[in-house]
Amino acid sequence: MDVMGDKGTLFETGRFVQPSSREDTETPDETGEIADEAAEELRQRLAAEAGDVEAMSVLGAMLLRRGDLDGAESHLRAATAAGDRAAANNLGVLLHQRGYADEAAGWWRIAAVAGSAAAAHALGRHHRERGDEPAAEYWLRQSAEQGHTLGAYALADLLEHRGDAAAEQWLRVAAERGHREAAYRLARALDRNATRGADGDNGVPAEAEQWYRQAAARGHRRAALHLGAILEKRGELKEAGRWYLTSAKDGEARAACALGFLLRDAGDTENAAVWWLRAAQDGDGNAANALGALHAERGETQTAERWYRAAMDAGDVNGAYNLGLLCAEQGRTQQAEQWYRRAAYAGHREAANALAILLLRGGDESGAEPWFSKAAEAGSVDAAFNLGILHAGRGEDEAALRWYEQAAAAGHTEAALQVGMARLRDGDEQEAERHLRCAAGGGSAEAAYRLATVLDARRPPEPAHELGEPVHRRSECEEWYERAASQGHRRAQVRVGMLAAARGDVVEAARWYREAAEAGSRNGAFNLGLLLAREGSEPEAAVWWTRAADAGHGRAALRLALVYARRGELAEGQRWADRAVSLGPASVTERAERLRDALRQELSA
């Protein structure tokens, strides 16, 4: 009787569950089920009228499920009077629904004392709602220790509220018995504990992922969201997308937003926009910002602005920042400043940096500096670098270096370059090399070139072959020169060309000299001219020397003077000799003066 009665409780999952309504038109299976229920109800009613206490209890539970409180009450009271503990529990549920909470608690107490785990759970909930936590804990513990899943979960919730470490134990008990919210909360607790105890990002513990997965499989939409995020971070995008989709379909706006980003990254912007729209309409500010950015990329600035405003209204400060960016791109400086300020005052560090840049461009250096400082102190790497530029422009080298070092420590490539150059000036070659390596590794061509020069200065002479021929071995400095050269660094291109020429690779040398010359390097043009002249192409060499001399290269001008002198074009030779004298350096000036004087004498003879 006890088992039947406990099964007939109002599912012990909340005392306010109402029966679901049925459609007027039913399938044949549903009709059959209704007929079976009606037959069962008739059978229990006949047994109850014959004085069967178990039938009274079961019939009362059936009527209670159906919402027939008046019909259920008499049967439940009769069964309760005969000592049926399940009926006492259900009578408590009925009275609670009618609003008689204290009378309900009395019947729950009777059932709980008689051993009903469901009644102990209901009584514990009642005491907690009244603020009597000691009594709530006592009865919830009674329920939990009898194996009642909801009792274990409610006890865990109470203990967690107090900060009691035993909460995890009862969450685990409830989760193992199939309680999906317990599984989710257990996963969250394990996740948080791992995050607090880890020095770095070691990922989500396997056990936490297991509980997320179990909760998600039981339909917990937030667990599905977290599981999707875990899988996405791990690179398992297909499965991540499936869980995001499951969660999004259940109404989780954050999952819809995340699914949109996953689709965007896969190149499917059309479907990404569909999910972002769904999430944004449910109040997700991040999705609204994504929609704004999508429309901004398409040039639909009015629609973009509308979505950025929607993001801002949803409490996402990025909306104001993005509005500032949009206005700045359109030249609406005053409005951009307004939106940047709004986001900056709300703590958006990149908005503070953008506001400072805007003020600085407008000539308000004193107004810009505090915003740079605020952004840098909040962790903006760009703001720290910009402060370094600001102080360097004033000649405050020590202050500039401090900010450059802060930005470099956070991985800012150009800041690392500036620190490296400062350390080179100070003679601290070891520290300079360390920072230059960081900057070069981050993609700075200038850093790669300067690192190469540091390593080049240390390079020992090339070992000689036993027959006296030099043996070329590719060194690290050459690798850095080539990396800088491939990124368009003109001095590096000239240097790579010189190294190629030194090992006799004329074609490679010419290629690099030509790239540098065409990019405006006068040394590249001069060296290309030398190479061509040695190969017998003096006319073409003169073209490149002319370009180099016009850019201020004294040796190129001297070479041109000699070319024209040999051709007998003495006046043109004298003109280039004059140019070489003025350009220098001293050794060139001396030779050019002698040549000029000789040409003058020849012309006046």
Side-chain angles (χ1 to χ4, degrees), residues 204-271:
V204 177
E207 188 184 6
E209 182 181 338
Q210 170 197 337
W211 289 114
Y212 279 134
R213 193 175 289 277
Q214 289 198 27
R218 293 175 188 138
H220 196 291
R221 68 187 192 187
R222 283 174 295 164
L225 168 65
H226 281 282
L227 182 57
I230 292 166
L231 293 165
E232 182 182 2
K233 189 174 182 180
R234 207 157 59 207
E236 299 174 23
L237 302 184
K238 191 172 182 180
E239 189 180 358
R242 286 200 300 269
W243 286 112
Y244 282 148
L245 180 60
T246 298
S247 181
K249 284 182 175 178
D250 285 340
E252 181 59 56
R254 291 174 296 170
C257 180
L259 180 59
F261 281 111
L262 212 59
L263 290 166
R264 189 275 312 270
D265 292 344
D268 188 355
T269 54
E270 185 176 342
N271 280 312

Side-chain angles (χ1 to χ4, degrees), residues 32 70 77 82 99 136 236 254 259 263 318 343 349 370 372 377 400 436-437 443 473 477 511 530 533 548 577 583 591:
D70 292 333
R77 284 190 183 277
E236 299 174 23
R254 291 174 296 170
L259 180 59
L263 290 166
N318 284 312
R349 66 190 188 191
F372 276 138
E377 287 163 5
L436 290 173
R437 283 187 184 278
R473 289 176 184 165
C477 75
R511 180 174 75 85
L530 288 179
L583 290 174
R591 292 174 62 195

